[in-house]
Amino acid sequence: MFPPLILLWTYLLFFNPDPCFSSLSFPLFLCSPYNSLHSHLTVIGITGSFGKTSVKDFLFTILSGWEETLKTPESYNTVFGIAKVVDLELLSKTKFFICEMGAYVRGEIKEICRMVPPDYAILTAIGSQHLERFKSIESTTQAKFELIDSVNSKHALVNLDNPLIATRITLSQYHGVKTYSLVNPQADFFVKKYVFSPEGLKFVLIYQDKEYSYVSSLFGTSNLYNLTAAISMALMMKVPEKIISQQVGQITPSPHRLELKKINQATLIDNAFSSNEDGFTSLISDLSKLPGKKVLITPGIVELGLRTVEVHQRIGGLASKVFDKFILVGKSIRTLSLEQGIKKTVSFIPNSTNLWPLIEELSQDYDWILIENDLPDNF
């Protein structure tokens, strides 16, 4: 039995001759009874080449401590996935809906915004992730900014430390867009100082000349960016500071995204969900500041297109200065390029199927074990 809204939507999409229903942009919230049930709803759209799922999860923890909140589950970020969530899970009492928006081509995020019109927007980053599909960084940039273009600029929040975003928001139509940064004090939300350790993060965020101090169990600079985005949006939405501070202490990593697990004497960093150039580089830098012997296990980064060799050789060179042992998963252009950059002895394993016995063995002799990305068989 198909849910009624999905049946209606499918009919309008494929059979209704009216051109206003000829694309996937049919607004779900304009459909009765959704119009009356959700007139009070505030929608927060989140997109980016990376970081969007973690920001969504962190913001959900904050907002759910204040009002009834729904988020798209896991990585449900396509038109049909979001339609399913709205149809089956959105309740009349829901105050906030946090909607992760993904895309592989230009126009997809624009369609999602027509279907689920956002009131607020967060753009986490633009990078080489999925470059193989977007074909160019300019195309990626235009696709991600479809979300920012869909809201009042004063309700948009972007990462000022991302060069591609910083360049684009100088255009006149983005006047008023709010920014967050770990390095630029001109940002609307600026992390004045921070300390990270295996125990977590401590940092001070400045907004409108006021300082806010936070403590979190999250690990790494990438998570600090994600948490800063979530807190900044909560402040924009006027969530009481007491609730924000309380809920930040409850935030845990999104599954397989910089999760720390203790195994014997070693700390396992489970970053197996996916990988991207910026995050990988940042994590290598973070680990360079921590003592102990370190192991890197990775199949590399997918969908980099023509930059695959260049990126992996560069990351291999950085990793060679930090890690003591290298285990590369599969022999591919990615891992062979990593080997060229590392310029040290590396080990290859055919796949990650039986990885845990190896991790158990490594945990006897090493202090840090990083699993960076975990590819499906078709890669």
Side-chain angles (χ1 to χ4, degrees):
M1 185 72 179
F2 290 99
L5 182 55
I6 291 179
L7 285 174
L8 170 63
W9 193 31
T10 303
Y11 169 77
L12 292 171
L13 176 61
F14 293 106
F15 300 107
N16 195 305
D18 189 333
C20 77
F21 295 123
S22 62
S23 75
L24 297 179
S25 60
F26 180 66
L28 294 183
F29 297 144
L30 297 183
C31 176
S32 180
Y34 288 81
N35 187 35
S36 58
L37 285 176
H38 303 296
S39 59
H40 62 287
L41 188 70
T42 297
V43 178
I44 305 99
I46 302 176
T47 195
S49 296
F50 49 87
K52 52 187 176 291
T53 299
S54 291
V55 173
K56 174 193 68 180
D57 290 344
F58 299 169
L59 183 59
F60 173 80
T61 299
I62 295 172
L63 293 182
S64 61
W66 188 32
E67 298 280 2
E68 188 75 24
T69 304
L70 174 69
K71 65 175 179 176
T72 48
E74 300 173 342
S75 292
Y76 274 54
N77 57 26
T78 63
V79 170
F80 284 102
I82 293 167
K84 180 179 179 181
V85 174
V86 170
D87 192 24
L88 299 180
E89 299 185 39
L90 193 60
L91 305 175
S92 59
K93 64 180 180 179
T94 304
K95 177 69 174 179
F96 301 118
F97 177 41
I98 308 171
C99 185
E100 179 180 336
M101 300 182 181
Y104 285 128
V105 295
R106 286 169 56 186
E108 282 188 294
I109 291 175
K110 187 176 182 179
E111 294 290 353
I112 294 172
C113 290
R114 288 175 178 170
M115 184 182 75
V116 187
D119 301 286
Y120 291 88
I122 302 175
L123 176 53
T124 61
I126 296 172
S128 54
Q129 188 87 331
H130 308 310
L131 189 58
E132 200 168 88
R133 305 198 189 201
F134 279 109
K135 306 303 181 186
S136 72
I137 284 292
E138 177 58 27
S139 182
T140 305
T141 301
Q142 292 177 2
K144 299 305 181 183
F145 263 84
E146 289 171 3
L147 173 59
I148 303 303
D149 293 338
S150 71
V151 301
N152 183 312
S153 61
K154 294 180 180 179
H155 287 177
L157 175 69
V158 302
N159 179 358
L160 188 60
D161 294 345
N162 184 273
L164 292 165
I165 294 175
T167 298
R168 192 169 183 87
I169 62 169
T170 59
L171 299 176
S172 59
Q173 65 262 42
Y174 300 117
H175 177 73
V177 166
K178 299 294 187 293
T179 58
Y180 62 96
S181 172
L182 271 58
V183 298
N184 190 339
Q186 300 303 312
D188 297 283
F189 299 89
F190 173 57
V191 177
K192 180 180 179 181
K193 56 184 177 181
Y194 64 93
V195 176
F196 90 92
S197 70
E199 287 71 45
L201 298 164
K202 294 181 180 180
F203 61 102
V204 175
L205 180 67
I206 298 178
Y207 173 53
Q208 295 181 341
D209 297 322
K210 184 176 179 181
E211 294 190 356
Y212 301 87
S213 297
Y214 298 101
V215 177
S216 168
S217 61
L218 296 172
F219 175 81
T221 304
S222 293
N223 264 334
L224 178 55
Y225 271 105
N226 297 333
L227 184 55
T228 299
I231 293 171
S232 300
M233 177 53 67
L235 289 169
M236 286 172 61
M237 297 173 65
K238 303 189 185 307
V239 179
E241 164 55 21
K242 183 178 180 180
I243 290 177
I244 296 176
S245 183
Q246 170 187 301
Q247 295 302 108
V248 164
Q250 304 299 315
I251 290 175
T252 57
S254 300
H256 307 296
R257 294 170 174 87
L258 294 178
E259 281 191 286
L260 300 188
K261 303 171 183 178
K262 197 68 179 176
I263 302 177
N264 296 319
Q265 77 168 35
T267 299
L268 173 69
I269 305 175
D270 180 357
N271 203 36
F273 183 82
S274 66
S275 182
N276 63 81
E277 181 182 0
D278 295 63
F280 203 162
T281 302
S282 175
L283 188 48
I284 292 171
S285 176
D286 288 343
L287 285 170
S288 72
K289 301 177 178 70
L290 298 175
K293 295 171 63 180
K294 305 174 182 77
V295 183
L296 171 63
I297 304 173
T298 184
I301 307 169
V302 300
E303 297 184 341
L304 290 175
L306 296 176
R307 296 193 64 228
T308 297
V309 172
E310 167 206 341
V311 169
H312 284 89
Q313 287 180 344
R314 184 182 71 82
I315 287 177
L318 295 173
S320 69
K321 301 172 184 176
V322 176
F323 292 90
D324 303 282
K325 187 176 182 63
F326 306 88
I327 299 173
L328 306 182
V329 182
K331 285 200 173 184
S332 65
I333 188 173
R334 298 180 302 275
T335 54
L336 293 174
S337 298
L338 278 170
E339 182 185 27
Q340 291 170 359
I342 292 168
K343 296 179 181 177
K344 294 180 181 178
T345 301
V346 304
S347 301
F348 288 90
I349 57 175
N351 54 60
S352 58
T353 304
N354 297 311
L355 200 55
W356 287 108
L358 175 60
I359 290 173
E360 179 71 26
E361 180 183 338
L362 292 168
S363 69
Q364 306 291 338
D365 301 313
Y366 292 88
D367 302 289
W368 296 91
I369 303 171
L370 169 61
I371 303 178
E372 179 72 14
N373 209 1
D374 182 19
L375 300 181
D377 293 339
N378 61 313
F379 281 102

